[in-house]
């Protein structure tokens, strides 16, 4: 127990394990007494010991110090975080009326440098992030405190690889109440295969944003519901992304940041996101010519209407089964109505509109993919936090593998213009998934 605390660190799931030495000491000391007692006392002690051991082992299993799959690409992964301020926008949600919009971004980049540095912690600001998650999901923050022990594969301050003149860029946008590295399982895969990924914390809508001066901005629920409010709110997110693209252009210039100067291929930019961030990726595909392709992971398409003929640029929609199965929606409808007080007709109208928007997105140059046994958070790291969160029949490691291979194939084929039909080649490895497209197969 002492070695575990020294080398791994204290975590609440091990509390019963920490007590074991005391428990064993008392057992040895009291053994002569129990030996002389009636048999039912000894059976009671035995039963208690069995329950104790089961709980002691069970807690670390149910709330594990998980690890991410080793990235399969040729590159190691470097990372750096930056604080940026948009002087052209006021922060409308701040009590300080003179405050400008501030963001934290994290850049993951390919490196050929392997060194003895320890990998970065998965989440540095665990206290803030878990407090934000508690606000969003009523998931007690202390139950996730052990996430500060989880390691990613990225290391800070590695040299960016010099084997290519520049690298394609992918912007990542988290879901509402998420955080910029919530899809580390996917980001590391893409970076190891030669992409630079830039993750954005959409401050106030992220679980938490922690600035370099130590200021913590926790999630502030916006109480938006329905399409009207969430469609309008999307403008803030797309402006965030456009500002980040402007910053990257500046950093890539001759007078930009030495670290990234000339290393960004500004002609090869894609975007991916989860939930509301996935909708933001779709909106950027419509609005900003710099975004050439977009991947939306189970995001309802909030924002400006998608053309009824679909997108004119490559787009992929990954849907969770529980998000598109009407029977599942109907089963949960009564509970939702009783909790929210909204009418059945309003829920039915929302369902109809959300499915129509997804259908429009699948037209034109759109792809639609569904993975069995998935729900909304299957497309993030979240189900790695505990097996209690997984769906019945879901193998989250396999789900992530499918997401990773199809994501990489999509960006390789349509952003980098590699082998035609690559996405279908990958999809054919997994007959259990459903992949459809209006683009004719070669």
């Amino acid at each position: 127990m002492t070695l575990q605390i020294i080398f791994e660190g204290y975590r609440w799931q091990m509390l019963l394990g920490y007590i074991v030495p005391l428990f064993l000491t008392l057992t040895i000391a009291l053994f002569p007494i129990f030996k002389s007692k009636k048999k039912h006392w000894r059976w009671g002690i035995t039963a208690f010991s069995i329950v104790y051991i089961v709980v002691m082992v069970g807690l670390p299993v149910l709330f594990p110090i998980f690890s991410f799959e080793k990235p399969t690409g040729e590159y190691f992964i470097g990372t750096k975080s930056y604080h940026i301020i948009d002087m052209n926008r006021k922060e409308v949600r701040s009590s300080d009326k003179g405050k400008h919009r501030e963001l934290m971004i994290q850049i993951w980049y390919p490196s050929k440098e392997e060194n003895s540095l320890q990998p970065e912690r998965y989440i540095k600001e665990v206290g803030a992030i878990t407090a934000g998650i508690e606000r969003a999901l009523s998931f007690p923050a202390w139950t996730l405190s052990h996430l500060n022990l989880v390691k990613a594969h990225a290391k800070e301050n590695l040299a960016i690889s010099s084997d290519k003149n520049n690298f394609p860029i992918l912007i990542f946008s988290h879901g509402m109440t998420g955080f910029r590295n919530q899809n580390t399982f996917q980001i590391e895969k893409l970076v190891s295969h030669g992409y630079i990924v830039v993750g954005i914390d959409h401050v106030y809508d992220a679980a938490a944003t922690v600035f370099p001066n130590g200021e913590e901005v926790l999630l502030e629920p916006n109480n938006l519901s329905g399409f009207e409010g969430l469609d309008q709110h999307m403008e803030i997110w797309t402006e965030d992304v456009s500002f980040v693209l402007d910053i990257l252009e500046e950093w890539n210039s001759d007078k930009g940041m030495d670290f990234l100067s000339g290393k960004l291929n500004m002609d090869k930019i894609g975007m991916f996101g989860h939930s509301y961030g996935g909708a933001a990726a779709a909106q950027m595909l419509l609005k900003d010519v710099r975004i050439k392709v977009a991947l939306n992971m189970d995001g309802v398409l909030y924002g400006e209407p998608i053309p009824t003929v679909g997108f004119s640029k490559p787009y992929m929609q990954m849907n969770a089964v529980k998000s598109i199965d009407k029977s599942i929606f109907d089963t949960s409808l009564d509970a939702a109505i009783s909790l929210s007080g909204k009418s059945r007709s309003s829920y039915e109208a929302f369902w109809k509109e959300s499915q129509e928007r997804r259908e429009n997105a699948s037209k034109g140059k759109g792809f639609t993919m569904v993975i069995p046994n998935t729900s909304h958070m299957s497309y993030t790291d979240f189900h790695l936090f505990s097996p209690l969160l997984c769906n019945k029949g879901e193998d989250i490691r396999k789900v992530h593998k499918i997401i990773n291979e199809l994501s990489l194939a999509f960006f390789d084929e349509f952003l980098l213009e590699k082998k035609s039909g690559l996405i279908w080649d990958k999809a054919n490895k997994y007959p259990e998934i459903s992949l459809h497209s209006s683009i004719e197969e070669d």
Side-chain angles (χ1 to χ4, degrees):
M1 293 298 104
T2 302
L3 290 173
Q4 187 273 327
I5 293 173
I6 292 173
F7 290 106
E8 185 181 62
Y10 166 83
R11 52 183 171 125
W12 67 267
Q13 297 93 331
M14 298 291 291
L15 181 60
L16 294 182
Y18 300 146
I19 298 173
V20 162
L22 175 62
F23 179 71
L24 292 177
T25 301
L26 288 173
T27 301
I28 293 170
L30 299 174
F31 181 76
I33 299 175
F34 288 129
K35 186 177 180 181
S36 65
K37 296 294 182 180
K38 294 181 180 180
K39 184 181 291 186
H40 70 270
W41 275 97
R42 282 176 279 169
W43 279 113
I45 294 298
T46 301
F48 172 78
S49 300
I50 292 172
V51 172
Y52 189 97
I53 291 169
V54 169
V55 176
M56 181 182 71
V57 173
L59 285 176
V61 170
L62 295 177
F63 295 91
I65 306 298
F66 64 89
S67 59
F68 292 101
E69 296 290 339
K70 184 178 180 180
T72 58
E74 63 178 292
Y75 293 98
F76 298 108
I77 302 168
T79 188
K80 291 186 180 184
S81 297
Y82 297 94
H83 174 210
I84 57 177
I85 304 174
D86 188 348
M87 300 304 295
N88 295 316
R89 283 193 296 160
K90 296 291 186 180
E91 181 51 78
V92 296
R93 296 171 72 179
S94 172
S95 57
D96 181 355
K97 299 305 179 183
K99 191 177 182 66
H100 290 86
R101 180 72 170 170
E102 299 182 52
L103 301 172
M104 286 299 297
I105 64 172
Q106 186 165 350
I107 299 177
W108 293 265
Y109 54 89
S111 175
K112 286 291 188 179
E113 179 184 358
E114 183 179 21
N115 58 33
S116 58
L117 292 174
Q118 288 295 314
E120 286 297 301
R121 282 184 292 167
Y122 167 46
I123 302 174
K124 285 186 176 181
E125 301 86 8
V126 166
I129 294 295
T130 55
I133 292 174
E134 181 174 353
R135 285 189 179 186
L137 304 175
S138 299
F139 206 90
W142 63 269
T143 62
L144 298 177
S145 60
H146 63 289
L147 291 178
N148 71 325
L149 300 175
V150 176
K151 301 289 186 181
H153 290 96
K155 299 179 180 181
E156 276 197 342
N157 299 317
L158 294 184
I160 193 167
S161 178
S162 60
D163 69 339
K164 293 182 180 179
N165 292 331
N166 52 47
F167 295 92
I169 307 161
L170 298 174
I171 306 296
F172 174 72
S173 187
H174 60 73
M176 191 76 76
T177 74
F179 49 99
R180 65 179 184 259
N181 47 346
Q182 67 165 51
N183 278 53
T184 292
F185 82 92
Q186 184 181 28
I187 289 170
E188 293 191 333
K189 168 84 170 186
L190 292 165
V191 176
S192 76
H193 284 268
Y195 289 90
I196 290 176
V197 175
V198 182
I200 306 170
D201 272 342
H202 297 279
V203 64
Y204 292 101
D205 291 323
T209 305
V210 181
F211 294 105
N213 64 359
E215 179 189 3
E216 297 180 356
V217 180
L218 297 186
L219 169 72
E220 289 192 3
N222 51 40
N223 298 319
L224 297 173
S225 63
F227 283 104
E228 183 177 358
L230 289 165
D231 284 348
Q232 293 176 358
H233 189 73
M234 180 58 68
E235 184 177 359
I236 295 175
W237 285 46
T238 54
E239 287 180 349
D240 285 348
V241 179
S242 291
F243 173 59
V244 169
L245 291 175
D246 293 341
I247 289 292
L248 294 178
E249 287 181 340
E250 179 183 330
W251 288 352
N252 195 50
S253 68
D254 292 338
K255 296 181 180 179
M257 184 180 295
D258 289 341
F259 162 60
L260 291 174
S261 181
K263 285 294 185 180
L264 302 172
N265 187 341
M266 301 305 296
D267 294 323
K268 298 289 185 183
I269 306 177
M271 184 170 173
F272 66 113
H274 170 251
S275 191
Y276 202 73
Q283 287 295 303
M284 290 301 295
L285 193 65
L286 286 176
K287 291 182 173 184
D288 199 313
V289 296
R290 292 173 291 186
I291 300 295
K292 303 299 192 296
V293 299
L295 167 61
N296 177 353
M297 290 173 288
D298 205 44
V300 175
L301 288 120
Y302 296 110
E304 294 182 8
I306 305 300
T308 56
V309 295
F311 292 97
S312 60
K313 293 184 283 188
Y315 171 82
M316 187 170 187
Q317 176 89 28
M318 293 183 175
N319 292 323
V321 170
K322 289 190 175 182
S323 299
I324 60 171
D325 189 324
K326 185 64 162 60
S327 64
I328 295 176
F329 171 80
D330 290 337
T331 300
S332 61
L333 193 52
D334 289 338
I337 291 170
S338 64
L339 286 172
S340 68
K342 295 180 181 179
S343 67
R344 182 177 296 272
S345 60
S346 67
Y347 276 105
E348 292 285 1
F350 179 86
W351 172 267
K352 184 174 182 293
E353 175 72 12
S354 65
Q355 300 309 309
E356 287 177 353
R357 293 189 181 201
R358 290 185 196 240
E359 185 178 344
N360 285 341
S362 69
K363 300 174 183 176
K365 292 190 175 182
F367 288 83
T368 300
M369 187 181 83
V370 182
I371 304 176
N373 305 315
T374 52
S375 56
H376 191 57
M377 300 304 285
S378 300
Y379 291 85
T380 70
D381 300 333
F382 198 62
H383 286 185
L384 293 173
F385 293 2
S386 171
L388 296 173
L389 301 171
C390 292
N391 304 297
K392 182 179 180 181
E394 179 184 48
D395 179 349
I396 191 58
R397 295 288 185 179
K398 185 172 183 181
V399 168
H400 284 175
K401 183 178 181 180
I402 293 171
I403 293 169
N404 281 346
E405 291 199 16
L406 271 293
S407 300
L408 181 61
F410 175 71
F411 290 123
D412 278 355
E413 181 174 350
F414 295 104
L415 182 61
L416 302 189
E417 299 176 316
K418 291 186 178 181
K419 177 185 173 184
S420 180
L422 183 59
I423 192 169
W424 292 105
D425 291 342
K426 294 295 182 182
N428 289 336
K429 290 174 54 180
Y430 304 101
E432 67 271 29
I433 71 172
S434 169
L435 179 66
H436 299 286
S437 175
S438 56
I439 301 177
E440 292 185 5
E441 297 181 53
D442 291 336

